[in-house]
Amino acid sequence: MSSASYDARRGELTTYFDRTAVEAWSRLTSDAPVSKVRATVRAGRDAMRGTLLSWLPADMTGQRLLDAGCGTGALAVEAARRGAEVVAIDVSPTLIGLAQERLPQIVGAGRIEFRVGDMLDPGLGRFDHVVAMDSLIHYRPADIARALGRLAERTDASVLFTVAPRTALLTLMHAAGKLFPRGDRSPAIVPVTERGLKRRIADEAALTGFTWVKSHRVNSGFYLSNAIALTRSAAR
């Protein structure tokens, strides 16, 4: 079961991405011209996507991947091109609609099923890999650990995700971010410390079989995010 705080924040994110900032996110995730500030965010997201993809197998034929919080589907497309069977889910029907409109032809065995809903839904089935890029950064550390546990219960190889690192720079960026038009502001990011998150993960029973194997930080102007890879340490 998800917590009340997780459910409440998920509702806020649904409202933001599906109603408040649709146009801004549509432009950000395209090749349309954007402001210098948003250009740094776009570049950072591209770099982060590249990092997460580099941690996945080059050949994913016959493997299932959950793109948890897929947005407009860029990572899902690349995984499908490697042969993966991708379930790409997001809370926003509008973003899923954009992902479907932008879906290119996938050559080979890979395919994508787009879904609207909760990434923690057990009805999505089992996966070899789960990727949650920037979809947990708005949640409290306790909710992040619980969500990772829920995902890990149905994952056989790796869970890759990002968090917002707690740094002085991020605090300054948040202050500067108040200059954005109010309608373009997302629900607050929740910065976490690596030490604190490791402790939460160690205490989460569902993550007992997983090992924290690596992390990588991407810092691009107004984009600051930390990628973490958890891999299953013993065969099921």
Side-chain angles (χ1 to χ4, degrees):
M1 294 291 291
S2 56
S3 69
S5 56
Y6 172 88
D7 291 338
R9 181 48 61 96
R10 186 186 65 196
E12 294 173 7
L13 293 169
T14 301
T15 298
Y16 171 71
F17 287 110
D18 203 44
R19 304 176 194 171
T20 307
V22 171
E23 180 60 28
W25 275 88
S26 176
R27 294 181 66 83
L28 181 67
T29 57
S30 71
D31 57 3
V34 291
S35 68
K36 290 183 179 180
V37 167
R38 291 198 172 92
T40 68
V41 175
R42 177 186 283 170
R45 286 177 56 82
D46 288 346
M48 179 56 77
R49 187 184 313 111
T51 294
L52 295 170
L53 286 165
S54 76
W55 292 353
L56 292 169
D59 183 358
M60 300 187 69
T61 304
Q63 298 186 27
R64 294 192 83 220
L65 179 137
L66 176 65
D67 188 353
C70 66
T72 55
L75 189 144
V77 167
E78 293 305 315
R81 284 174 171 161
R82 297 183 184 187
E85 177 187 333
V86 182
V87 175
I89 190 165
D90 201 278
V91 295
S92 168
T94 301
L95 291 183
I96 290 295
L98 282 171
Q100 291 171 322
E101 289 175 9
R102 295 176 180 179
L103 181 64
Q105 182 178 2
I106 305 296
V107 177
R111 65 186 184 88
I112 305 174
E113 177 189 357
F114 287 109
R115 299 277 295 271
V116 176
D118 184 2
M119 62 185 173
L120 303 187
D121 180 2
L124 298 174
R126 293 200 66 81
F127 298 91
D128 296 284
H129 304 278
V130 170
V131 180
M133 176 178 154
D134 294 348
S135 51
L136 293 172
I137 60 176
H138 302 282
Y139 295 94
R140 302 183 314 173
D143 286 332
I144 292 174
R146 278 191 290 266
L148 292 172
R150 291 279 305 279
L151 293 169
E153 288 173 340
R154 298 177 286 114
T155 305
D156 294 326
S158 70
V159 177
L160 314 179
F161 65 101
T162 65
V163 295
R166 183 178 296 171
T167 65
L169 177 60
L170 187 59
T171 300
L172 290 173
M173 288 165 60
H174 282 174
K178 293 179 180 178
L179 298 175
F180 285 134
R182 181 171 298 274
D184 284 350
R185 290 189 222 155
S186 67
I189 290 172
V190 181
V192 302
T193 64
E194 187 167 296
R195 178 182 297 180
L197 185 59
K198 281 185 173 179
R199 185 174 63 251
R200 296 274 188 182
I201 287 174
D203 291 341
E204 183 64 35
L207 292 169
T208 300
F210 281 79
T211 301
W212 180 307
V213 293
K214 54 187 168 184
S215 65
H216 176 75
R217 185 171 295 182
V218 172
N219 186 352
S220 171
F222 273 67
Y223 181 89
L224 179 60
S225 191
N226 207 76
I228 297 160
L230 304 179
T231 62
R232 189 173 286 281
S233 54
R236 292 182 64 85

